[in-house]
Amino acid sequence: MPLSHSRSHLLQQRAESLFPGGVNSPVRAFRSVGGEPPFLTHAEGAYLYDEDGNRYLDLFGSWGPMILGHAFPPAVEAIRQAAGRSASFGASTAAEAQLASLVHQCFPSVEKLRFVSSGTEACMSAIRLARGFTNRNFVIKFEGCYHGHSDAMLVKAGSGVVTLGIPGSAGVPPETAMHTLALPFNDLEAVRAAFAARPDEIGCVIVEPIVGNAGTIPPAPGYLEGLREITRQHGALLILDEVMTGFRVTLGGAQRLYNIQPDLTTLGKIIGGGLPCGAFGGRADIMNHLAPLGPVYQAGTLSGNPLAMAAGIATLQHLIDNEQTIYPQLDRTTADIANSVASIACERNIPLTTNQVGSMFTWFFTVNPVTDFASAATSDTAAFGRFHRAMLEHGVWLPPSQFEAAFVSTAHAPEDVAFLLNAARTALS
Ligand SMILES: *Cc1c(COP(=O)(O)O)cnc(C)c1O
């Protein structure tokens, strides 16, 4: 019997009268996969529950933050206690330094940092700082990478921008985006050429070290090392956007996995344990250019919010204390899921390319290896949409776009993998 979605359907109709597309973030509307999004009531561990009483195995983890599964008890308790002491002060607390020390422990390159409330803010602020520090205006980003929705970054962006098939965004004056150079990912020659064409004009290169927002795309061997070398040669800063990969692919993010020392790092998602939180940080001499010490302005009413700090501390402390067991287990569970479904597709002659790094992965419906945005875009998005709908109908919630990474949490147990494989066998038939 098909799942009932009658309550969700009514809620969707009401939402559409109140929110554009019925949502507060565009990809949640399921436009690219078809069907209506279920409305959720609660979640626990690896499972989501909707208004009609349906249960789903969660493979998108709130787009990344929920690495320990939903309603992780120590985080819930920490938030509860912090809420009782007041949700916000707008003044300094000890918790900010406590979380910052944990971040520094995981990311030694982050000597000093600032907390903000989202990944968007983290990237926007890091770019402003890089421009202010170098006195150069141009920024290199890569096609399919997403660094939040600030004006200058909505050029050939990933995530919802590619999901909806729009080249950029209306409302961004060309003057605002004209200093953004968008180059193909995994192509060092393009970067060398850009620097050769504009010596002394490029302030920074910002990159998702493992692309997640065009689906999962790992860096080619030597690529990140090449970016490090070229930026250093030209006096530009290297910003690793680890909003997704930070605390995810290793405790110390992609920079630890690939042994790259960036000038600045942006963080988000896991850092707040599901509460709105982001951070940017790096070399102390660069960070000291921020107000009140330096001329680059940046601020936030809710920055370092006590509830977000509490959830972040509980999450990072657990990851740090259990690093040796958590990360190998996440990698194994994810490989198991990613490869088992890939073999089912292979048996049935369904073209599928699987990219995985740690506990993030993507099944691309294409025969081509996916190494950059152009190859990701060869995917059959209609086939992905059919797969997504069928999996949802069988109780598995995948990210609702071909161009978003799926995530596995520590709550995903072997019986959940078996459940998922059963769903996939039907969905791919
Ligand atoms: C999610 C994401 C962002 C934006 O973070 P928000 O909290 O959604 O503003 C930026 N960069 C990367 C790599 C991301 O995955």
Side-chain angles (χ1 to χ4, degrees), residues 3 18 32 45 53-54 65 123 131 142 149 159 164 199 206 229 278 296 321 326 329 348 362 403 414:
L3 302 184
L18 294 167
S32 75
N54 304 309
C123 296
R131 285 170 158 165
F142 299 97
H149 63 95
S159 190
L164 301 175
I206 185 167
E229 192 186 306
V296 179
D321 292 344
I326 282 181
Q329 181 214 321
R348 297 175 185 185
T362 302
F403 306 111

Side-chain angles (χ1 to χ4, degrees), residues 118-120 123 146-148 208 213 241 243-244 269:
S118 67
T120 295
C123 296
Y146 180 67
H147 306 292
E208 286 184 70
N213 286 290
D241 179 354
V243 169
M244 185 181 289
K269 301 196 167 115

Side-chain angles (χ1 to χ4, degrees), residues 251-267:
L251 185 58
Q255 54 195 268
R256 184 188 293 175
L257 187 62
Y258 301 112
N259 192 25
I260 302 295
Q261 178 96 0
D263 300 299
L264 294 173
T265 297
T266 57
L267 296 165

Side-chain angles (χ1 to χ4, degrees), residues 398-414:
L398 299 173
S401 164
Q402 174 69 96
F403 306 111
E404 298 283 359
F407 299 105
V408 172
S409 81
T410 54
H412 287 79

Side-chain angles (χ1 to χ4, degrees), residues 272-396:
L275 270 81
C277 184
F280 65 103
R283 274 166 48 191
D285 63 317
I286 301 174
M287 291 302 287
N288 287 343
H289 267 60
L290 283 175
L293 295 184
V296 179
Y297 193 72
Q298 181 277 331
T301 302
L302 295 178
S303 293
N305 173 265
L307 302 195
M309 296 297 104
I313 291 166
T315 302
L316 295 199
Q317 192 65 61
H318 185 81
L319 291 172
I320 290 170
D321 292 344
N322 300 281
E323 183 188 2
Q324 301 308 330
T325 49
I326 282 181
Y327 289 91
Q329 181 214 321
L330 281 173
D331 293 3
R332 273 196 307 273
T333 310
T334 310
D336 201 13
I337 293 173
N339 299 335
S340 309
V341 170
S343 3
I344 297 171
C346 184
E347 280 163 21
R348 297 175 185 185
N349 291 319
I350 298 166
L352 200 68
T353 291
T354 304
N355 280 0
Q356 182 212 341
V357 183
S359 55
M360 53 191 275
F361 73 96
T362 302
W363 292 306
F364 292 98
F365 282 72
T366 178
V367 286
N368 302 311
V370 175
T371 57
D372 57 10
F373 177 66
S375 44
T378 65
S379 301
D380 181 346
T381 53
F384 178 84
R386 286 192 297 276
F387 180 60
H388 184 275
R389 290 194 298 279
M391 289 295 271
L392 197 70
E393 191 58 31
H394 288 92
V396 179

